[in-house]
């Protein structure tokens, strides 16, 4: 299965991390219980027999599975011969575990004596060969005279809410796939401190804040973001507002970021 590229990796990264007496074996697959025991025992034996007094019977070896990449299962030779689920999912044959043990022994020896290790071959860069079956965003638009981030439905002027109420604001928005806001947020609740200083209080990490995006129809270039804030019982009394962050795609493919804000309201 090679088209359009290998369906399974043929170059796999392995590493050993040491934190004091804790030794972590980073493996790119799912080891069965017995396969993991054999690997840990092999590494521990190498470390304890290396002559380095830092490694004694107190060292603790653990396995961190599915690390850096994924190559399905790793079984013992005996488990592979039975060909149950795990054995049938061990991609590289009955001696896969032996290969891992061989290479981890080399790493353990280098770790014990403080020797550098060659990085080895690098996996291919397949970023430019990725296939997506998701329809791309063509463009985003708003009604005439309306900007991205404007409120379609705002909170009433000078409104007051109490804990347990739900505040709902609807913004003119754009497809969230234009920018997934990694390390950012689509929605934010801010609290007023002082006369004109707004500080974040809740974002879409919080269960009390919900972000909903929708188009009026599949072929429409217009869309709206509905932000609902269910005011938690722990919310501090004060003046709040709801903000929305997004990115719109123009007809020629350019991406422009925007933000919008609701009117201020009071929480008692």
């Amino acid at each position: 299965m090679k088209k359009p590229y290998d369906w399974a990796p043929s170059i796999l990264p392995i590493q050993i991390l040491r934190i004091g007496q804790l030794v972590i074996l980073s493996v790119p697959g799912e080891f069965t219980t017995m396969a993991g025991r054999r690997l840990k025992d092999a590494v521990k034996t190498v470390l304890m027999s290396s002559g380095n007094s830092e490694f004694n019977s107190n060292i603790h070896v653990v396995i961190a599975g599915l690390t850096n990449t994924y190559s399905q299962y790793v079984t013992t030779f005996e488990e592979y011969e039975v060909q149950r689920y795990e054995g049938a999912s061990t991609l590289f044959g009955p001696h896969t575990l032996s290969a891992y043990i061989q290479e981890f022994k080399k790493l353990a020896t280098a770790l014990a004596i403080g020797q550098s290790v060659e990085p080895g071959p690098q996996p291919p860069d397949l970023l430019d060969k990725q296939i997506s079956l998701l329809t791309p965003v063509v463009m985003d638009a708003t009604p005439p005279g309306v900007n991205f981030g404007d409120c379609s439905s705002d909170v009433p002027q000078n409104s007051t809410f109490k804990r347990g109420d739900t505040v709902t604001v609807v913004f003119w928005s754009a497809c969230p796939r234009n920018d997934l806001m990694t390390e950012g947020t689509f929605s934010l609740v801010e609290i007023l401190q002082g006369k004109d200083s707004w500080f974040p209080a809740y974002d879409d990490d919080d269960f009390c804040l919900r972000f909903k995006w929708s188009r009026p129809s599949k072929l429409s270039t217009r869309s709206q973001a509905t932000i609902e804030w269910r005011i938690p019982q722990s919310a501090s009394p004060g003046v709040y507002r709801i903000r929305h962050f997004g990115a719109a795609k123009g007809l020629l493919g350019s991406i422009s970021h925007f933000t919008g804000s609701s009117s201020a309201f009071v929480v008692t």
Side-chain angles (χ1 to χ4, degrees):
M1 299 168 70
K2 299 282 187 180
K3 302 295 183 181
Y5 41 75
D6 290 353
W7 285 31
S10 56
I11 300 174
L12 301 173
I14 61 173
Q15 62 184 169
I16 298 181
L17 308 176
R18 179 195 174 194
I19 308 173
Q21 295 300 97
L22 175 64
V23 177
I24 305 171
L25 310 182
S26 299
V27 297
E30 299 182 68
F31 276 56
T32 63
T33 300
M34 186 54 66
R37 287 176 180 172
R38 292 181 183 179
L39 177 60
K40 290 193 298 181
D41 288 346
V43 170
K44 188 172 184 178
T45 299
V46 169
L47 293 175
M48 292 179 61
S49 62
S50 64
N52 188 333
S53 59
E54 295 182 3
F55 297 107
N56 51 43
S57 59
N58 292 326
I59 64 173
H60 187 60
V61 182
V62 298
I63 287 183
L66 296 89
T67 305
N68 298 318
T69 190
Y70 181 65
S71 60
Q72 299 199 37
Y73 281 81
V74 178
T75 61
T76 66
F77 178 86
E78 294 83 359
E79 290 168 334
Y80 185 89
E81 293 298 300
V82 177
Q83 281 294 291
R84 291 179 180 152
Y85 179 84
E86 296 83 1
S89 299
T90 298
L91 300 184
F92 304 107
H95 301 292
T96 299
L97 175 60
S98 298
Y100 275 107
I101 291 176
Q102 169 187 291
E103 296 305 308
F104 268 102
K105 280 183 174 181
K106 296 177 183 178
L107 289 183
T109 300
L111 176 66
I113 65 177
Q115 184 182 45
S116 61
V117 177
E118 291 295 325
Q122 296 299 304
D125 185 350
L126 303 176
L127 285 178
D128 60 346
K129 297 182 180 180
Q130 296 302 301
I131 295 176
S132 175
L133 302 180
L134 191 62
T135 304
V137 180
V138 178
M139 67 170 292
D140 297 286
T142 57
V146 175
N147 297 317
F148 290 106
D150 286 354
C151 286
S152 170
S153 175
D154 199 358
V155 295
Q157 292 292 325
N158 303 316
S159 55
T160 299
F161 299 88
K162 61 182 183 295
R163 298 180 184 92
D165 290 346
T166 298
V167 183
T168 302
V169 182
V170 182
F171 295 90
W172 287 104
S173 188
C175 182
R177 289 194 282 121
N178 293 325
D179 186 339
L180 300 181
M181 297 296 170
T182 305
E183 302 297 330
T185 183
F186 288 107
S187 50
L188 182 68
V189 175
E190 294 180 326
I191 186 171
L192 179 65
Q193 295 184 3
K195 290 185 177 181
D196 55 4
S197 298
W198 294 92
F199 291 88
Y202 303 91
D203 60 24
D204 51 20
D205 281 340
D206 296 289
F207 286 114
C208 63
L209 191 62
R210 181 173 294 181
F211 170 79
K212 301 178 180 178
W213 177 82
S214 62
R215 289 194 189 276
S217 65
K218 288 184 177 181
L219 299 180
S220 174
T221 58
R222 301 175 184 179
S223 64
Q224 292 180 326
T226 302
I227 299 178
E228 298 175 350
W229 180 40
R230 181 174 50 80
I231 305 174
Q233 296 298 326
S234 59
S236 301
V239 178
Y240 289 84
R241 69 180 181 182
I242 293 177
R243 298 188 68 193
H244 170 43
F245 300 86
K249 187 174 184 179
L251 180 60
L252 301 180
S254 62
I255 301 294
S256 57
H257 289 78
F258 63 87
T259 183
S261 176
S262 72
S263 299
F265 55 91
V266 175
V267 174
T268 59

